[in-house]
Amino acid sequence: PFWLKPFWLKDPRRLKRRCLLERVHTLAAMIYIFNGAKSLCALPGQACSECGKCCASVNCGPIKDCCDSSSKSCTQFTEKPLSSFVILAWLCSLVELWFCYSAMSEPATKSCVFTDSTGASVGIENWIYVQMGFAILNMIFAPWFQHQVWEQIHRDLVDKQSVLSGPSTSVPKEVVSGAFKQVLLYDIGVLFYFFALI
């Protein structure tokens, strides 16, 4: 009936259901965005695959094998957990390195002087070198962390007598989150990275 319509629209169950549906649509859109990024990151692997086919046609076996293994590494990289983290870490670190290099090559940087005692003892050039070192450390840590989580996933699957038949095999999310937590809490490299950032 029309006189109940205002109450029907304000029903908390319906509002909750509507919010949930909106959240699901947003997540679906995010998944499509990351699938596009994943396809973009798989382009080097596809280029290596095509290069391997060309080398096979001219009977050049060693280069074909090299191109095929490079192609497999690139395409499997985007199938592993934390591949987006690695890509974003590399992009941020490259931007930081570029800004640090730009600051070092700027003549005005030489005239920049810290006024407090700690900053004056370090100096601007040393500070920029430290920032460059952290950017490089981040570029090393991100793929290393992904590798450690992937190895932990393999160990967990072996313990459960499960088998990964290929890179696109679905891994239960409990195994992925458990491996992430295990590496994050108990790996000595993560501890080193944490103390380096402090």
Side-chain angles (χ1 to χ4, degrees):
F2 69 90
W3 63 86
L4 288 178
K5 193 167 185 178
F7 298 108
W8 178 73
L9 289 174
K10 294 180 181 177
D11 183 13
R13 290 174 294 172
R14 291 194 181 274
L15 287 174
K16 195 181 285 185
R17 205 173 307 141
R18 184 171 150 204
C19 290
L20 183 63
L21 286 174
E22 288 175 0
R23 197 175 305 156
V24 167
H25 290 303
T26 304
L27 288 174
M30 290 298 292
I31 288 171
Y32 287 123
I33 289 171
F34 279 109
N35 280 341
K38 187 166 89 170
S39 299
L40 185 67
C41 293
L43 284 177
Q46 292 171 352
C48 287
S49 176
E50 294 302 318
C51 180
K53 289 177 185 175
C54 288
C55 291
S57 66
V58 294
N59 205 11
C60 187
I63 295 177
K64 178 199 173 297
D65 294 340
C66 179
C67 288
D68 287 344
S69 64
S70 298
S71 168
K72 197 181 301 181
S73 296
C74 287
T75 52
Q76 287 179 357
F77 167 76
T78 57
E79 299 294 329
K80 293 179 183 177
L82 299 173
S83 60
S84 301
F85 164 68
V86 173
I87 292 167
L88 289 175
W90 269 71
L91 286 175
C92 290
S93 296
L94 287 173
V95 168
E96 183 180 6
L97 285 170
W98 183 78
F99 278 120
C100 288
Y101 175 76
S102 297
M104 290 294 284
S105 60
E106 187 70 33
T109 305
K110 305 282 186 214
S111 63
C112 183
V113 178
F114 289 120
T115 56
D116 65 350
S117 61
T118 307
S121 66
V122 173
I124 187 70
E125 285 187 13
N126 290 335
W127 177 256
I128 293 173
Y129 285 132
V130 168
Q131 293 304 310
M132 292 171 95
F134 280 127
I136 292 169
L137 178 66
N138 196 33
M139 291 174 79
I140 293 169
F141 176 77
W144 176 84
F145 185 64
Q146 181 194 33
H147 174 75
Q148 293 297 99
V149 170
W150 190 243
E151 290 298 315
Q152 185 64 42
I153 288 171
H154 278 283
R155 284 192 291 272
D156 291 348
L157 289 176
V158 167
D159 290 345
K160 293 180 180 182
Q161 280 81 30
S162 297
V163 177
L164 272 177
S165 59
S168 60
T169 302
S170 178
V171 178
K173 67 179 181 179
E174 296 83 21
V175 173
V176 175
S177 62
F180 178 81
K181 185 177 177 182
Q182 177 75 20
V183 172
L184 189 66
L185 293 177
Y186 300 110
D187 197 279
I188 192 75
V190 175
L191 181 67
F192 168 75
Y193 186 72
F194 174 74
F195 281 120
L197 291 180
I198 292 178

